[in-house]
Amino acid sequence: MNVLFKCILILSFFIGITSSAQDKKAQNPIIYADVPDASMLRVGDTYYMSSTTMHMSPGLPIMKSNDLVNWELINYGYDTLGHSDELDLDNGKNMYGRGSWASCLRYHNEKFYVSTFSATTGKTHIYVTENLEKGPWTTIEFQPSYHDHSIFFDDDGKTYMVWGAGKLNIIELKDDLSGVKEDTQKVLIENASAPAGDNIMLGAEGSQLYKINGKYYLFNITWPQGGMRTVIIHRADNITGPWEGKVGLQDLGVAQGGLIDTPDGRWFSYLFKDNGGVGRIPYLVPVTWEDGWPIIGNDGKVPQQLDLPASKGLIPGIVHSDDFKRKKKEADLPLVWQWNHNPDNSLWSVREREGYLRLKTGRIDSRFVQAKNTLTQRTIGPESTGSTLLDISKMKEGDFAGLCLLQKEFGLVGVKFENGQKKIVMMSAPKGEAKEMQSIPLNQNKIYLKAECDFNERADKAKFFYSLDGKTWKPIGESINMPYTLPHFMGYRFGLFNYATKHIDGYVDFDYFHISDTISKQ
């Protein structure tokens, strides 16, 4: 064996060891899926996180983790935020991109507080429980809707709320948090964006307030014109100020969040990044302390690798396949599922036919985005596939059912019953205008459908397929672009849908929904 060959073998050995070691470390993003506006805390050795899902019901998702990397959904703050035409998708109205926004998760006197706000209801909503997983919950609501607020329980027994954009305000809450104390509103920071300069596109918002070692720390996000999303940190010795501020992080557009510590004394900042069609994805960034300031990042940069355990994947904690088989005491739907807006619970069932999700029609709709009872899960990156099998034998004339990728510029593949004939249809909605791209006659009552999402390097493309036997898949229509649009303000979601355009009381049965973290190479 010559010397060169020996060197190559030795080098390969050490490369393998290094690669193996890296594989056992966490990688950013820690969740490659739409989990924005996080609020995080630790109780003992367990971490909890709340997030935003806006127009989805149930809403205000709650997750837990033992290592800051591997998260699982454990509950929601509410089943329904309220009822109105916008929340219920009635009379042509909707709450896309609105509903409930950034939440705040806090723990005080052995109770958890999860709060949010809604321009749709015009209220601030607070949900209280002693057990995030099992409940029960107490609901508190009051007006007005305090934008991007942070609840803060101070050492002196007073409870405050900080909110606003650009100009940040503070107010004291009543002892039972049922509203605000009169004449306590003050301007906390006149221009919280100032540390990032004068030319600001997005005024400082997303407040998260902490008290650490006797000092108050306030985290916000701002966005300089022509720059990137930026973390702003303010600190003060007293909650009323004076406050001094600085730029906390300007890298990759990773921003908005706060601080979390580990039982062994390490610190991280939890933040997120706008990442195209998959949505806004969470990052963890190491934090050190210098002169009483949290210093975010490694030399101001967001690392790819973290000194935390590796991710085990987002299946089954964040998304999960479902064969719709339920035992008697099981919940009808696992937590990975959310309805697009408030559902009509009389028009769906996983009990009427064992092992199937039945979606029934109960009203006439003319547009997919206004249809009731679309059942959704997140897409995940860097790639993901969703597939299903439909029994369409009980469809009625004018019915349309299938598998979608939901956003303003949606795409879908389904079965349309039109003029006495069933046909497989692929539709897309560039710029939000729905177009039928291809249709194929269908002469059987079962059909397999599939959607594949490619988010690698922001490709943001999807393809749709059908199969008559579950073995041979054929593409249909055209690939779609998946842009992140502000009118929906959410990453693309897989969805199962059925709606009527002419007659009600038809139904379809979904045998399963399967999700995977790969796509085919066809």
Side-chain angles (χ1 to χ4, degrees), residues 339-515:
W339 298 99
N340 176 28
H341 291 64
N342 291 343
D344 182 337
N345 290 318
S346 70
L347 296 177
W348 68 273
S349 175
V350 290
R351 308 285 179 177
E352 290 185 15
R353 181 180 179 186
E354 186 177 354
Y356 288 82
L357 166 70
R358 177 164 293 175
L359 294 183
K360 299 176 274 189
T361 63
R363 72 177 195 187
I364 303 301
D365 285 299
S366 60
R367 295 193 301 140
F368 164 68
V369 292
Q370 285 296 134
K372 281 264 196 179
N373 286 15
T374 296
L375 187 60
T376 79
Q377 286 196 39
R378 293 169 177 83
T379 57
I380 61 175
E383 53 193 40
S384 50
T385 296
S387 61
T388 189
L389 167 60
L390 279 78
D391 180 338
I392 54 173
S393 58
K394 301 300 181 180
M395 293 180 78
K396 290 193 172 183
E397 174 75 22
D399 288 359
F400 193 11
L403 172 67
C404 69
L405 288 169
L406 177 62
Q407 232 269 5
K408 179 185 177 182
E409 299 193 21
F410 63 84
L412 59 82
V413 59
V415 175
K416 186 180 287 188
F417 196 171
E418 196 171 62
N419 299 322
Q421 171 68 53
K422 292 173 183 173
K423 58 182 181 178
I424 310 167
V425 173
M426 184 268 162
M427 295 184 69
S428 65
K431 308 302 180 184
E433 298 297 325
K435 296 180 180 180
E436 186 173 304
M437 307 306 293
Q438 187 179 0
S439 66
I440 300 168
L442 180 63
N443 297 309
Q444 60 187 55
N445 283 324
K446 288 190 176 181
I447 185 67
Y448 299 81
L449 305 173
K450 181 169 68 173
E452 295 185 344
C453 304
D454 182 3
F455 300 111
N456 283 289
E457 298 180 355
R458 299 284 290 270
D460 292 351
K461 296 279 189 181
K463 296 179 180 179
F464 294 89
F465 304 84
Y466 74 94
S467 174
L468 301 178
D469 58 9
K471 298 176 182 178
T472 303
W473 291 92
K474 297 181 180 180
I476 183 169
E478 301 175 359
S479 66
I480 66 165
N481 295 316
M482 293 191 290
Y484 186 95
T485 72
L486 291 181
H488 276 219
F489 216 171
M490 184 176 288
Y492 276 76
R493 283 183 166 240
F494 293 113
L496 307 178
F497 70 91
N498 179 36
Y499 67 96
T501 64
K502 293 184 179 180
H503 307 286
I504 64 170
D505 296 330
Y507 63 85
V508 295
D509 290 335
F510 293 85
D511 191 340
Y512 60 79
F513 172 78
H514 290 167
I515 187 169

Side-chain angles (χ1 to χ4, degrees), residues 99-139:
S100 66
W101 280 10
S103 63
C104 177
L105 175 61
R106 294 292 180 260
Y107 184 69
H108 178 67
N109 287 344
E110 298 185 350
K111 288 184 179 180
F112 293 93
Y113 297 81
V114 193
S115 63
T116 186
F117 69 101
S118 174
T120 309
T121 65
K123 296 178 180 179
T124 296
H125 304 258
I126 304 175
Y127 306 94
V128 188
T129 184
E130 293 181 1
N131 190 317
L132 280 177
E133 297 189 57
K134 298 179 180 179
W137 295 86
T138 300
T139 299

Side-chain angles (χ1 to χ4, degrees), residues 168 189 191-197 200 204-205 208 218-224 229-234 244-250 255-257 293 296:
L168 302 181
I189 303 173
N191 180 10
S193 309
I200 300 297
E205 59 179 17
Q208 294 282 326
L218 181 61
F219 272 60
N220 292 98
I221 176 182
T222 193
W223 198 333
R229 291 159 37 88
T230 300
V231 177
I232 298 294
I233 306 172
H234 285 83
E244 55 179 328
K246 62 185 290 187
V247 170
L249 180 70
Q250 242 181 7
Q256 190 166 337
W293 286 99
I296 306 175

Side-chain angles (χ1 to χ4, degrees), residues 2 12 28 31 49 66 94 102 129 139 163 174 181 194 237 262 328 351 356 363 378 384 387-388 407 467 491 501:
N2 63 45
S12 299
N28 268 320
I31 300 176
M49 174 169 62
N66 294 319
N94 61 63
T129 184
T139 299
W163 84 97
K174 296 177 181 178
K181 290 185 176 181
D237 293 324
T262 66
K328 285 187 178 180
R351 308 285 179 177
Y356 288 82
R363 72 177 195 187
R378 293 169 177 83
S384 50
S387 61
T388 189
Q407 232 269 5
S467 174
T501 64

Side-chain angles (χ1 to χ4, degrees), residues 15-25:
I15 289 173
I17 291 176
T18 302
S19 177
S20 177
Q22 288 177 344
D23 290 343
K24 295 178 181 178
K25 296 290 186 181

